[in-house]
Amino acid sequence: MTEQTSDLRVAVVGVGAMGADHVRRLADRVVGARPVLVADASAQTAERVAAAHPGVRVAPDALAALDDDDVDAVVIASTGPTHAELLLACLERGLPVLCEKPMTTDVASALEVVRAEAAVVATTGKRLVQVGFMRRYDAGYVALRQLVETDELGAPLLLHCAHRNASVPPYSTSETVVLDSLVHEVDGARFLLGEEVTAITVRTPRRRRSAPEGLADPVFALLETQSGALVDVEVSAATGLGYEVRTELVAERGTALVGTESGPLVARADTAVRGRRVPAGFLERFEAAYDAEVQAWADAARRGTAAGPSSYDGYAATAVTTAGVEALRTGRRVEVVLEPRP
Ligand code: ISE
């Protein structure tokens, strides 16, 4: 495919909160692309989203959306366990695809996607998969990565990461918190430090009393990396407060913090916030990052390819989070051994 001159026509599969937000973004803000088709496990949800966007049709199901003649590229924002089959179908059809995280929820299917894409690259020379790790497009995280890349603060020693959700979807379990939320911190660490995670330990402190039944909340993870840096992560599932994501780098000659402001920061569930406002959710906190992410994806898709976080990044993150699920269950430190990049 050479550079497309008309708008990229996009099918969005899965139009819950994230997918519907991508439809709005493609309709209103992304240059050179527009949504044309939506599909969702709930026909009602698909109808509602389509009705809000003139020119957007509803496909009977996800595979029908991929087969539609009017579709040039695909955004997958359905639940994690549906991703592998859809990604393989996109690769088979040569469709550029932006797949929300987690790329897949198990290592075997993640590797299948990596290998299927490698076969496409071998014949066409073009990647097709971008994984939705939007933090790589967040100004704060990009600045932090530059500090590491330029060695301005010296070698990284530690990352302290906090990832606090006001609430999580009703289907959430302790495992999905690791697979769906912790996965951002895993990719964040790989992106910021530029190296792989080699082991993970997951502990849970005393449980938040207001946490939904059966959910470990918070979860505390320790990631080890190839260079010997350590990454500690708090993932809170249901603070009832707002959405707080921050990362602090401790390096040999300095520290750097993203995701907050200076000043006395007191965040409480009852009085909301003293000293600053906490964003309500991830759609608000990372709005600019999502815009940049989808624009970069659309620009590459118009050239028939993909940019940004790759299927290998998706695989590496899933390898760590699935090890994290084992670490959570057993209480043991679990090593992560990755297959080499194809
Ligand atoms: C959700 O699926 C996301 O991807 C958000 O970015 C994350 O912060 C949240 O915890 C997940 O449930």
Side-chain angles (χ1 to χ4, degrees), residues 101 134-135 163 165 168-169 180-181 184 243 245 282 290:
K101 42 53 56 183
M134 78 297 189
R135 290 203 196 164
H163 184 157
N165 298 276
V168 281
D180 287 353
S181 302
H184 282 292
Y243 187 71
V245 165
F282 50 87
Y290 286 122

Side-chain angles (χ1 to χ4, degrees), residues 192-260:
L192 293 173
L193 301 175
E195 58 176 331
E196 298 298 349
V197 172
T198 52
I200 179 168
T201 308
V202 179
R203 299 284 305 276
T204 51
R206 189 174 68 199
R207 216 175 139 262
R208 191 187 307 279
R209 273 179 301 170
S210 58
E213 192 59 27
L215 203 71
D217 182 18
V219 159
F220 185 78
L222 182 68
L223 313 179
E224 299 168 43
T225 72
Q226 286 169 316
S227 71
L230 291 179
V231 180
D232 64 76
V233 183
E234 167 213 334
V235 181
S236 283
T239 63
L241 167 68
Y243 187 71
E244 295 180 273
V245 165
R246 67 180 72 137
T247 299
E248 184 174 23
L249 165 72
V250 178
E252 280 180 312
R253 294 192 300 274
T255 66
L257 175 65
V258 294
T260 187

Side-chain angles (χ1 to χ4, degrees), residues 17-51:
M18 188 73 255
D21 199 56
H22 283 325
V23 173
R24 270 192 298 278
R25 170 171 296 111
L26 286 161
D28 300 341
R29 297 201 288 281
V30 173
V31 179
R34 64 188 158 92
V36 293
L37 205 56
V38 293
D40 195 276
S42 153
Q44 227 182 358
T45 302
E47 293 290 352
R48 197 185 57 239
V49 172

Side-chain angles (χ1 to χ4, degrees), residues 161-181:
C161 309
H163 184 157
R164 303 190 185 119
N165 298 276
S167 61
V168 281
Y171 58 78
S172 300
T173 61
S174 304
E175 282 77 18
T176 62
V177 168
V178 172
L179 295 170
D180 287 353
S181 302

Side-chain angles (χ1 to χ4, degrees), residues 12-15 37-42 46 57-62 65:
V12 181
V13 176
V15 284
L37 205 56
V38 293
D40 195 276
S42 153
R57 292 180 292 119
V58 174
D61 58 53

